[in-house]
Amino acid sequence: MNASCLTIKELTDAVGGGLTPRMVRHYHQLGLLPQPVRSPSNYRLYTKKDVLRLQRIVALKQQGFQLNHIRNILEVEPEADTTVNLMGQLQQQYRAVMQQISQLRQTASALEGLLGRDRHCQIMQAEVLAQLKLLDVETQAGLGGLENLWSGLDAEIHTHSEAFSESLQRLLPDLSHRSEIEQHLISQLVLACGDVSLVSFVKLSRDAIAASRGALSASCQIVVDTQTVAAALDQTRLSHLGCQIETLIDNPHITTATEAELAFWQHREWRSKLQQVNQGCVLVVGYAPSVLVEVCEALTNQKIQPALVIGMPIGFSHAPAAKRQLMQQGIPFITVEGTLGGGALAATALNALVESLIDKPDCHCYLKSIVDSAEC
């Protein structure tokens, strides 16, 4: 036996990652690993080259790649791990994953269209179940044959307003392990974007609810990244609580995430303004990832001490990274993992917290005082 070669057990020990000899043999069958040479005693013998290839397979698998996609990646210049080739394979994998997501989203949308109907919009259960049998088949063809089903189901939408709460009871996963306020918050976020899958991405620190209620009850400062977020806040309740709203990027012409991101980088005064927010404030970031990055840096350097950070900026690289940093800061936070987010979601999160503190007031006398001040 060659002293530089490894047995299958030694190979799995060298690679690690929970790999077993059975998995290695399975990879041989799939063509992910070439068949090794054999010893005179018929033992499989592996080289350093096999170790490196198997390490790459394990790494790609841990990143969520399916085995057939891993095989495609390894087939193209397997020895030369060039950046160009890898990026091309990643793009191919991404397109395949997005196609799967699209198909699943179509199926979920169709199911939501059935399960989310209130009692007034339901047709006979037997008919629904019969039509559901067509769902899997029709989904493969892009749901093209379900128009007749929808036309029958949609006939009742003209008779009454939509019963959101009743629909959510059927669509939302079990949230009984969460507090009543958290359940309300998550429900409002789902309603704000119309995507039930958002639930699995919503993350709250343990002390987020208590911290927010304490700060809002104490008439804390509300600091938002753009005026678009400020405009979506429940200013009636916030005014009754005595909470003043401060906008970091104070330019009414900035209305998109792209504009907010660029403006925040170009104007240092807005970055300096962030470091001057009141202690115990609530920070609400709904557009610019760089604002949340700056918030996390200021927190790390102990330059600001907010009571709560609602971090939900939009973005495809900076935003997910900033949210991960936020969750590691050790302060109360509410965020939505990944690229999901936006001003509407960020404002909805704060509005749900405010709503848990104060009923919608019938008296709007504070509005008169605002008008009087403006006229003066």
Side-chain angles (χ1 to χ4, degrees):
M1 181 183 299
N2 192 328
S4 63
C5 291
L6 304 174
T7 64
I8 192 169
K9 181 63 171 62
E10 292 170 336
L11 173 70
T12 57
D13 290 342
V15 174
L19 194 67
T20 65
R22 183 177 180 180
M23 294 168 65
V24 174
R25 289 191 287 270
H26 182 55
Y27 294 159
H28 283 312
Q29 294 174 351
L30 295 177
L32 288 169
L33 271 178
Q35 291 293 336
V37 297
R38 298 271 185 165
S39 71
S41 301
N42 205 33
Y43 285 104
R44 291 183 173 89
L45 298 180
Y46 298 91
T47 65
K48 183 177 180 180
K49 180 179 176 181
D50 295 317
V51 173
L52 294 175
R53 184 179 178 91
L54 195 53
Q55 285 176 335
R56 191 176 180 195
I57 292 171
V58 171
L60 290 169
K61 192 169 182 290
Q62 289 175 342
Q63 291 298 317
F65 287 83
Q66 298 178 5
L67 292 179
N68 60 324
H69 294 128
I70 294 176
R71 182 169 56 247
N72 292 336
I73 291 175
L74 296 176
E75 283 176 354
V76 182
E77 301 181 18
E79 306 303 328
D81 187 11
T82 63
T83 301
V84 174
N85 174 60
L86 181 58
M87 290 303 295
Q89 292 295 333
L90 290 175
Q91 289 173 346
Q92 181 180 352
Q93 167 71 0
Y94 177 76
R95 286 192 292 269
V97 169
M98 290 306 297
Q99 184 177 7
Q100 293 173 352
I101 291 175
S102 176
Q103 292 173 346
L104 290 172
R105 182 64 259 179
Q106 283 185 314
T107 303
S109 178
L111 289 169
E112 288 165 358
L114 295 172
L115 297 174
R117 293 180 181 271
D118 55 59
R119 58 188 177 87
H120 295 291
C121 281
Q122 289 175 351
I123 60 174
M124 294 298 293
Q125 186 176 3
E127 183 180 347
V128 173
L129 293 176
Q131 295 292 347
L132 278 173
K133 294 179 181 179
L134 300 175
L135 189 59
D136 285 338
V137 176
E138 295 295 341
T139 299
Q140 303 305 318
L143 298 173
L146 288 179
E147 290 85 353
N148 293 334
L149 171 60
W150 294 136
S151 63
L153 291 173
D154 293 344
E156 284 295 317
I157 66 172
H158 303 287
T159 64
H160 66 286
S161 59
E162 182 158 348
F164 289 109
S165 298
E166 188 177 337
S167 297
L168 283 175
Q169 287 178 1
R170 294 190 183 90
L171 297 175
L172 288 175
D174 182 17
L175 299 176
S176 59
H177 61 289
R178 293 181 178 269
S179 69
E180 184 177 344
I181 296 176
E182 285 185 69
Q183 292 181 37
H184 175 68
L185 169 65
I186 292 172
S187 297
Q188 294 303 107
L189 289 173
V190 169
L191 284 175
C193 67
D195 187 353
V196 181
S197 66
L198 182 78
V199 173
S200 60
F201 297 96
V202 177
K203 303 297 178 183
L204 296 82
S205 62
R206 286 186 176 182
D207 50 354
I209 300 298
S212 67
R213 292 173 67 83
L216 292 167
S217 298
S219 303
C220 68
Q221 180 190 42
I222 308 295
V223 182
V224 301
D225 56 343
T226 68
Q227 290 192 5
T228 305
V229 176
L233 296 179
D234 188 341
Q235 302 198 28
T236 299
R237 287 190 174 93
L238 288 173
S239 294
H240 276 268
L241 289 169
C243 297
Q244 298 296 318
I245 302 172
E246 182 75 23
T247 305
L248 285 176
I249 306 175
D250 195 13
N251 183 337
H253 299 292
I254 295 174
T255 57
T256 68
T258 302
E259 294 170 342
E261 179 74 356
L262 185 60
F264 189 73
W265 270 102
Q266 291 180 338
H267 296 83
R268 183 162 294 277
E269 66 270 20
W270 289 334
R271 303 174 77 174
S272 300
K273 187 177 179 180
L274 173 62
Q275 299 184 8
Q276 298 170 8
V277 299
N278 295 345
Q279 181 177 345
C281 69
V282 172
L283 283 167
V284 185
V285 183
Y287 278 91
S290 292
V291 172
L292 188 56
V293 171
E294 193 77 12
V295 166
C296 292
E297 184 174 346
L299 287 169
T300 300
N301 296 328
Q302 300 183 340
K303 293 183 178 180
I304 60 174
Q305 293 181 319
L308 172 74
V309 177
I310 299 176
M312 301 184 183
I314 301 171
F316 304 102
S317 59
H318 290 47
K323 293 170 184 176
R324 287 191 290 269
Q325 290 180 22
L326 173 63
M327 290 187 283
Q328 297 169 1
Q329 291 297 324
I331 66 160
F333 69 83
I334 301 174
T335 190
V336 177
E337 284 185 312
T339 62
L340 300 173
L345 287 178
T348 297
L350 181 62
N351 289 342
L353 297 172
V354 174
E355 187 178 349
S356 71
L357 280 171
I358 182 172
D359 291 334
K360 196 74 170 181
D362 296 323
C363 173
H364 290 74
C365 56
Y366 79 95
L367 291 174
K368 183 176 185 303
S369 64
I370 294 176
V371 173
D372 292 341
S373 298
E375 289 177 350
C376 293

